[in-house]
């Protein structure tokens, strides 16, 4: 029996499939692809479709065990980001969120939320030199946010209206997001 010499395209295809099957190479490739997708800025929800947060009854806990009540964010501009360390789109958008946090953390309340344990979160933050605080939910947030996938980010104005509601990776350090934040801070 004679075998046909493989084409270069067949070899490339097999190498690509193999790299996507191996966990150590799959995640970096997915992050790389999502970084490209996250170059797009999130858009504002049209005024007539903006929903109001009706409840602020939500408790969160930080790595030190300190409890944060979402009620304390009432009346402020708030960015809430649901994410995980294992999530390639989350990882892809984190650098833009860190840059935004660097410039706005004293004017905007940033609430980064993960369901993971801090033993997994802390090394990820340290490795990537992220300085924002991360919380784990202590109480149910489904009465406030309907999160069915991550990353999911909400930008909320001082009156409790959801101005941006974005599922998937995005460029949070864009000029349009910064203009929106500046506008919301002035109100």
């Amino acid at each position: 029996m004679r075998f046909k010499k493989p084409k270069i395209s067949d070899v490339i295809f097999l190498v690509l499939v193999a790299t996507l099957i191996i966990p150590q190479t799959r995640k970096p490739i997915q992050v790389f692809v999502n970084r490209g997708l996250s170059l797009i800025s999130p858009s504002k929800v049209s005024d007539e479709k903006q929903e109001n947060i009706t409840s602020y009854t939500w408790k969160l806990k930080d790595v030190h065990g300190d409890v944060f009540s979402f009620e304390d964010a009432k009346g402020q501009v708030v960015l809430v980001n649901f994410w995980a360390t294992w999530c390639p789109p989350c990882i892809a958008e984190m650098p833009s969120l860190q840059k935004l946090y660097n410039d706005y953390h004293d004017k905007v309340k940033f609430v980064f939320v993960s369901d993971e344990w801090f033993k997994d979160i802390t090394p990820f933050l340290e490795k990537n030199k992220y300085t924002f605080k991360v919380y784990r939910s202590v109480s149910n947030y489904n009465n406030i946010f309907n999160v069915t996938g991550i990353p999911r980010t909400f930008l909320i104005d001082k009156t409790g209206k959801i101005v941006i509601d974005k599922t998937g990776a995005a460029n949070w350090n864009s000029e349009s997001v910064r203009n929106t934040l500046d506008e919301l801070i002035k109100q």
Side-chain angles (χ1 to χ4, degrees), residues 38-50:
S38 72
L39 295 175
I40 301 167
S41 296
S43 55
K44 288 174 66 174
V45 176
S46 63
D47 289 345
E48 62 275 358
K49 290 187 179 180
Q50 288 180 3

Side-chain angles (χ1 to χ4, degrees), residues 6-179:
K7 295 180 197 170
I8 189 78
S9 61
D10 293 339
V11 173
I12 291 171
F13 176 75
L14 288 173
V15 168
L16 182 62
V17 169
T19 58
L20 291 175
I21 291 172
I22 302 167
Q24 291 84 352
T25 57
R26 181 178 57 232
K27 188 174 177 182
I29 290 169
Q30 290 173 326
V31 170
F32 177 76
V33 169
N34 277 285
R35 282 235 165 95
L37 296 173
S38 72
L39 295 175
I40 301 167
S41 296
S43 55
K44 288 174 66 174
V45 176
S46 63
D47 289 345
E48 62 275 358
K49 290 187 179 180
Q50 288 180 3
E51 295 181 24
N52 258 18
I53 291 180
T54 56
S55 172
Y56 281 81
T57 57
W58 182 28
K59 303 280 188 214
L60 303 111
K61 196 176 280 192
D62 69 15
V63 67
H64 304 294
D66 297 328
V67 175
F68 169 70
S69 172
F70 195 60
E71 186 77 33
D72 294 341
K74 200 172 191 176
Q76 298 179 53
V77 176
V78 184
L79 187 140
V80 180
N81 175 265
F82 293 90
W83 70 286
T85 63
W86 52 262
C87 165
C90 302
I91 296 167
E93 75 175 1
M94 279 295 155
S96 70
L97 283 163
Q98 178 64 53
K99 288 176 184 170
L100 195 68
Y101 175 82
N102 290 347
D103 293 341
Y104 285 91
H105 71 276
D106 57 339
K107 301 173 202 139
V108 173
K109 179 65 182 171
F110 286 83
V111 183
F112 290 90
V113 184
S114 179
D115 286 340
E116 294 176 284
W117 297 105
F118 287 113
K119 69 177 182 57
D120 300 316
I121 297 168
T122 302
F124 175 84
L125 296 174
E126 289 171 353
K127 175 184 172 198
N128 292 289
K129 297 184 172 91
Y130 294 138
T131 59
F132 46 79
K133 189 182 280 193
V134 176
Y135 300 93
R136 285 184 40 95
S137 189
V138 176
S139 63
N140 193 343
Y141 53 79
N142 291 334
N143 60 331
I144 305 170
F145 304 108
N146 180 23
V147 179
T148 56
I150 57 173
R152 180 84 182 266
T153 307
F154 300 90
L155 180 60
I156 305 159
D157 74 6
K158 292 176 184 177
T159 67
K161 282 188 182 166
I162 298 174
V163 178
I164 295 177
D165 178 352
K166 173 69 175 147
T167 301
N171 178 11
W172 290 97
N173 191 38
S174 68
E175 188 176 332
S176 65
V177 171
R178 287 173 170 270
N179 289 340

